[in-house]
């Protein structure tokens, strides 16, 4: 289960783009909270605090508690807009979380024991992480900040699929319910020389 992180916010009136620009110049990020049975609410957040927070994985995959004058609303980050070249966050979208309803979220995959695995210790084997995150469904109380994938037994030629992930209790991968075609590879271990050999044996294009 992920930890709930609290962030202080301020309510603001919905205004034109010029007002949002003035907020950014003042070191404040405009944002919106939507979803659930309530109307959307416009809020603002301290840019420096959010800039530091968004450098952590938990900011994208954890339940966030927005504290508005002592009233806490639990949400998930759904969109973050950055300036194309400045170190500046332009806007944030948050979705309200219902403790009794399953949610869908993307969480990072953490690969462990790769270096000590047979494939990891072999000089001629290339281990590739095909996916860095996975989309899951679960109740908010079961949302993990990340999911570990143990590669201790990884051998040359092995392929690790979504269905091989050991999921925390209460967590599911919705893609797996769609059939084998959606059971994507997340890790492959191949001999580095294989690609070269295949390229040499392949007939030249006419």
């Amino acid at each position: 289960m992920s930890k709930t992180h609290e962030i202080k916010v301020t309510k603001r009136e919905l205004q034109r783009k010029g007002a949002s620009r003035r907020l950014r110049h003042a070191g404040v990020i405009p944002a919106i909270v939507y979803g659930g049975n309530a109307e959307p609410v416009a809020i603002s957040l301290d840019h420096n605090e959010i800039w530091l927070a968004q450098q952590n994985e938990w900011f994208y995959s954890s339940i966030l508690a927005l504290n508005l004058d002592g009233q806490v609303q639990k949400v998930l980050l759904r969109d973050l807009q950055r300036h194309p070249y400045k170190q500046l966050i332009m806007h944030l979208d948050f979705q309200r979380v219902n403790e009794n309803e399953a949610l869908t979220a993307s969480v990072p995959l953490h690969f462990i024991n790769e270096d000590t695995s047979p494939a990891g210790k072999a000089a001629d084997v290339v281990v590739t992480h095909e996916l860095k995150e996975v989309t899951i469904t679960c109740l908010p109380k079961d949302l993990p900040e990340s999911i570990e994938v143990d590669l201790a037994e990884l051998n040359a030629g092995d392929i690790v699929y979504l269905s091989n992930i050991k999921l925390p209790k209460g967590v599911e991968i919705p893609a797996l319910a769609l059939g084998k075609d959606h059971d994507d590879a997340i890790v492959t271990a191949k001999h580095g020389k294989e690609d070269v050999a295949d390229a040499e044996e392949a007939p030249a294009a006419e």
Side-chain angles (χ1 to χ4, degrees):
M1 176 182 174
S2 63
K3 177 183 176 183
T4 300
H5 301 267
E6 186 170 300
I7 299 173
K8 290 184 178 181
V9 303
T10 303
K11 189 174 181 179
R12 65 183 176 90
E13 297 298 325
L14 283 172
Q15 296 173 321
R16 297 180 179 179
K17 291 183 178 179
S20 294
R21 192 178 301 114
R22 287 193 293 273
L23 285 174
R24 297 187 190 103
H25 284 313
V28 177
I29 307 172
I32 192 81
V33 180
Y34 64 88
N37 298 319
E39 292 294 319
V41 175
I43 61 172
S44 59
L45 308 91
D46 180 78
H47 187 276
N48 289 340
E49 180 182 358
I50 299 304
W51 182 260
L52 292 175
Q54 60 88 33
Q55 298 177 46
N56 299 281
E57 283 185 341
W58 58 258
F59 188 70
Y60 304 91
S61 59
S62 297
I63 302 294
L64 304 175
L66 302 184
N67 187 330
L68 176 60
D69 297 328
Q71 295 184 346
V72 176
Q73 175 71 67
K74 293 185 178 180
V75 301
L76 276 176
L77 176 69
R78 287 309 191 191
D79 187 50
L80 184 153
Q81 299 174 20
R82 293 184 175 87
H83 193 278
Y85 56 87
K86 296 181 181 179
Q87 290 190 339
L88 185 67
I89 298 172
M90 305 294 289
H91 193 273
L92 298 167
D93 288 3
F94 297 101
Q95 183 179 9
R96 295 185 182 94
V97 169
N98 186 327
E99 296 288 349
N100 299 314
E101 293 182 1
L103 55 81
T104 300
S106 294
V107 298
L109 296 173
H110 286 180
F111 301 97
I112 62 173
N113 299 321
E114 177 182 325
D115 292 342
T116 58
S117 69
K121 291 188 290 186
D124 63 338
V125 175
V126 177
V127 178
T128 304
H129 300 167
E130 304 291 348
L131 295 177
K132 295 183 179 179
E133 61 181 23
V134 62
T135 299
I136 63 169
T137 58
C138 63
L139 290 174
K141 68 180 181 64
D142 297 321
L143 179 64
E145 289 191 4
S146 62
I147 295 177
E148 285 191 347
V149 180
D150 192 347
L151 301 179
E153 304 300 323
L154 187 70
N155 290 286
D158 286 350
I159 301 177
V160 181
Y161 294 94
L162 286 175
S163 58
N164 299 133
I165 297 177
K166 185 177 180 180
L167 296 172
K169 183 179 179 180
V171 176
E172 297 180 354
I173 298 177
L176 295 179
L178 301 177
K180 292 184 178 180
D181 290 343
H182 297 270
D183 189 9
D184 296 332
I186 58 174
V187 175
T188 59
K190 297 180 179 179
H191 284 287
K193 297 179 180 179
E194 288 181 356
D195 294 336
V196 176
D198 292 342
E200 291 177 347
E201 294 174 4
E206 296 181 0

